[in-house]
């Protein structure tokens, strides 16, 4: 009798270790891609700050520096909204990869496209900051918001790549879960498209809509 | 008798593995956020160096290069104090996260605000370095020191977010511990505010006060 | 009888833990180098974006910004192909290191040379983007494609360093596996050389050949 | 009899897990500092590439681009030697931290000083590259080589901080080991000082001496 208990217990312990080992091996692939992706998100978000600076003037006074710092507000504004956008994209990437168990070439490529777009976020950000108070405001906002439509598309593509094969997803994911994620990605894509379209009518309305979307994602997403 | 020992021992071993597994899962969330935050601190601190350089002049001589390198001392000065400030902020972030077991949206957002400010530290640093020997010295120091008031505020907000729910904190934290951390964060915020206020009177006194604060934190903090 | 089972099972469990520990120690060295290398790849790929930006003009209109953004296409083009090249190099580095169990000085140095080249990819990228529409197109493409011949050479050197000692490779690698990897590295080097040579004849043909090579690697590699 | 074996074996298994846990906790501190340090090394080494680029000229021809690329050789030269220096410093940091079990404030601060210097390596590198062919060659080489004397000093300080308390070092380190490491750090400091002094006499001799030192470290270090 005790022998049986021991055998069962040891068998169980042994299996636990073995499956842990196998799962660890399988997990290794997605972990490395996730770490690399995290790195790109992390560097992209920190590089946003690189272009911000006040030029030195020999005749600088306290008051002129104060006004020079204040006048830069469109740059700060663009920095802040891009920082939030990249952080939200990072969280989205994270929650998408939580459902992944393995990868294949299609997943790698669509993830690569997403990272390529994320790494270039400083470019639309700089453009928005520089042209926010110029006559090219509308174009700058259209470009900026359209850029995040592209990022939504890359997310949608990545999820399509991952969800098309059951063996790439974690075991406990039900069909309903998969459907819910697909719907979420679609909604994100549609919302970003609406923001871009509204920018053609009124760029400030578009920026306001983005803000409403964030609040929704943060508090109910 | 031996069977009982075995059963108990195996039960214990099994529990250990299981709780280790559950705690590992829970821990995963904060670990990823911590790693991302570490990345932002790390990149921000290294990016500080990007703006430092001596312009090439065709007629350069050994002596003119020597003086050009020496004349840059306000830039080095700003680099060094920002490096120390970001390192101390990183240590503070680390010791704060050691108390965290889980996260929620509020923690994520307040951590995001903190990272947004940390990533932009090169901006006040550059401003301080460029205007330290100009007529805008006072404004530059006020801006620089005020920036670190904002960072203290973000830390205070992050700790408020974490400490408001008992289930987000690690088990072994007592009420007295929580109170002590809250007091510490408050003291940091007050100290940084005093430094900023003193900068309005005398910018060099403000920089001296910062130095005293560091020494205190490093040797008694 | 039960005692024997227990002894065997415990012996097995113990060995598993011990060998896991020893393998972990051995693995530590390559893991750290791999992580460092991943970091360089990750930063290099994100830094590619740094040089992209539209200059501000006071008289900016929506239409002038639109055309300024469109006119930048050679820069986007160079960004995209370098991003893909670095990602493919990262995957290649990853699959090469999967075969490594230990390192020595020769492996460290050849890996260092590879990283030195990868970190400098933004330089040929910028050159390609700036001169793609200039009279120096041929030279820009020759330089760009030759740069990736150098990277292939560094990969070949790294594999030579790793494969020359059996104890640096993982146990389950057969002689046939080693030969196959050597052949693969040689093919990569030859293909990149052919692309560079073809750039002397026609730069656009060279860029087209690169594209065909990618498709092959992605879908059959 | 079997019960005894089981008890012993289970006790052993249990202890293994427990000590592994405790050591893991202790290790956590140094691991985090090491990871952060690795990040700074990794970013610093990749940022070296940022300043390298060829300016666009409208009238660019294949031959003018070819010569513009060739004329940049002092920049490449400075890039390569700094890359090697930072990689060697990273390896040195790695082998020093392998001996550390815990940290205290003194270790943290001396490590911080080391990282502050490493993060700023792009500055002396840029200076060396820009002035290598100018009349300020001697000053540029003195500055560059002196910068690595500072880094050696920071290493010496870090080792002093770590080796002054036995409880900060790993258990298996003998007194002879500690002495050997101290001697190694001293030799590194002296060698770098000799290189700097020789730069006052002849800058090219100093660069040659650096090269000999590397070869020694790589093949016998």
């Amino acid at each position: 009798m005790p022998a049986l208990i021991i055998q069962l217990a040891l068998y169980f312990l042994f299996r636990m270790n073995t499956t842990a080992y196998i799962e660890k091996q399988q997990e290794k692939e997605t972990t490395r891609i996730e770490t690399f992706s995290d790195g790109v998100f992390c560097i992209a978000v920190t590089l946003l700050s690189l272009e911000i600076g006040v030029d030195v003037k020999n005749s600088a006074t306290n008051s002129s520096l104060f006004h020079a710092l204040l006048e830069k507000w469109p740059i700060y504004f663009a920095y802040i909204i891009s920082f939030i956008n990249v952080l939200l994209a990072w969280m989205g990437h994270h929650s998408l990869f939580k459902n992944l168990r393995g990868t294949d070439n299609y997943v790698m490529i669509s993830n690569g496209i997403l990272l390529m777009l994320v790494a270039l976020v400083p470019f639309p950000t700089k453009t928005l900051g520089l042209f926010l108070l110029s006559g090219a405001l509308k174009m700058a906002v259209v470009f900026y918001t359209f850029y995040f439509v592209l990022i939504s598309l890359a997310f949608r593509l990545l999820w399509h790549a991952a969800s098309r094969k059951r063996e790439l997803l974690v075991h406990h994911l039900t069909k309903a879960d998969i459907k819910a994620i697909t719907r979420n990605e679609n909604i994100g894509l549609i919302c970003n498209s609406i923001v871009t379209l509204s920018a053609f009518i009124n760029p400030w309305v578009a920026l306001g809509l983005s803000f409403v979307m964030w609040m929704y994602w943060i508090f109910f997403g």
Side-chain angles (χ1 to χ4, degrees), chain A:
Chain A
M1 180 67 175
L4 195 71
I5 295 165
I6 298 160
Q7 260 179 292
L8 276 170
L10 284 177
Y11 169 76
F12 197 73
L13 256 165
F14 176 67
R15 263 213 49 173
M16 250 174 60
N17 272 334
T18 314
T19 43
Y21 179 76
I22 291 167
E23 283 191 356
K24 222 178 166 181
Q25 288 300 99
Q26 284 186 327
E27 189 192 27
K28 221 186 154 187
E29 279 301 306
T30 52
T31 300
R32 203 178 145 118
I33 295 162
E34 234 182 315
T35 308
F36 192 86
S37 307
D38 273 20
V40 171
F41 276 96
C42 191
I43 300 163
V45 98
T46 321
L47 288 186
L48 287 172
S49 77
L50 271 192
E51 300 288 331
I52 302 180
V54 173
D55 297 329
V56 67
K57 291 155 199 159
N58 285 323
S59 61
T61 63
N62 288 321
S63 135
S64 72
L65 178 56
F66 181 71
H67 287 101
L69 288 169
L70 279 189
E71 267 161 27
K72 287 238 150 194
W73 74 262
I75 305 280
Y76 311 148
F77 175 78
Y79 172 73
I80 292 168
I81 67 170
S82 282
F83 203 97
I84 297 170
N85 274 325
V86 176
L87 272 195
L88 288 175
W90 174 64
M91 288 185 205
H93 190 264
H94 177 30
S95 63
L96 199 155
F97 259 80
K98 263 204 298 204
N99 302 314
L100 255 68
R101 200 157 51 95
T103 53
D104 60 4
N105 272 333
Y106 188 7
V107 170
M108 297 285 273
I109 293 162
S110 50
N111 192 49
I113 292 170
L114 178 58
L115 295 184
M116 202 194 289
L117 288 166
V118 167
L120 203 54
V121 165
F123 172 44
T125 306
K126 210 192 305 181
T127 307
L128 182 65
L130 285 177
F131 294 93
L132 199 68
L133 295 184
S134 78
L137 160 68
K138 186 175 282 187
M139 192 60 225
V141 176
V142 167
F143 175 56
Y144 185 84
T145 52
F146 179 67
Y147 197 85
F148 285 90
V149 173
L150 291 179
I151 288 181
S152 296
L153 266 171
F155 263 112
R156 187 64 193 81
L157 190 72
L158 177 59
W159 177 243
H160 177 257
S163 63
R164 82 188 198 289
K165 280 190 188 164
R166 193 61 192 83
E167 68 260 33
L168 297 178
L169 300 174
V170 290
H171 295 301
H172 58 74
L173 217 68
T174 64
K175 278 203 172 171
D177 290 337
I178 296 171
K179 260 195 180 165
I181 297 168
T182 307
R183 206 181 42 232
N184 259 350
E185 295 293 339
N186 286 337
I187 289 172
L189 180 54
I190 291 165
C191 286
N192 275 313
S193 305
I194 290 171
V195 168
T196 305
L197 289 176
S198 72
F200 281 101
I201 303 165
N202 189 323
W204 296 107
V205 166
L207 294 171
L209 275 179
S210 293
F211 187 74
V212 172
M213 260 167 59
W214 292 343
M215 291 300 111
Y216 186 83
W217 275 334
I218 289 169
F219 292 107
F220 307 97

